[in-house]
């Protein structure tokens, strides 16, 4: 069994909850009411997407554990 690590992007939705995108896996998107549920749903979505890719003979995307990501807070008059 191989361990893969994928980056998750959780976006809060105006009506509540979080949409989760997995950038390394095209089309892998899910939703959860809380952060914890969103992460659990993302795990299920990733496993499902990887199973479909394998069934279709497509390559499994490399994990993105070496990706660095930063958020920068900037005060500006242009926003």
């Amino acid at each position: 069994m191989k361990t893969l690590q994928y980056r998750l992007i959780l976006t809060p939705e105006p009506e509540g909850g979080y949409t989760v995108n997995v950038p390394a896996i095209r089309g892998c998107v899910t939703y959860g009411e809380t952060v914890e549920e969103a992460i659990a749903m993302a795990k299920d979505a990733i496993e499902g997407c990887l199973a479909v890719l394998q069934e279709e003979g497509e390559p499994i995307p490399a994990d993105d554990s070496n990706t660095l990501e930063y958020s920068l807070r900037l005060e500006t008059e242009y926003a």
Side-chain angles (χ1 to χ4, degrees):
M1 183 168 284
K2 185 175 182 181
T3 300
L4 297 172
Q5 180 174 321
Y6 292 108
R7 183 170 52 108
L8 308 177
I9 298 177
L10 282 72
T11 305
E13 295 299 334
E15 66 277 358
Y18 298 86
T19 295
V20 184
N21 287 284
V22 184
I25 305 173
R26 185 171 30 108
C28 191
V29 178
T30 191
Y31 172 86
E33 289 288 333
T34 65
V35 170
E36 294 78 14
E37 181 184 14
I39 291 169
M41 295 297 289
K43 182 180 182 216
D44 288 344
I46 290 168
E47 289 173 347
C49 288
L50 295 180
V52 168
L53 289 171
Q54 186 172 26
E55 287 172 12
E56 294 179 351
E58 297 291 327
I60 300 298
D63 73 14
D64 53 6
S65 59
N66 292 324
T67 300
L68 299 177
E69 184 171 328
Y70 294 91
S71 291
L72 176 65
R73 185 176 302 252
L74 178 66
E75 292 187 27
T76 178
E77 62 186 72
Y78 303 109

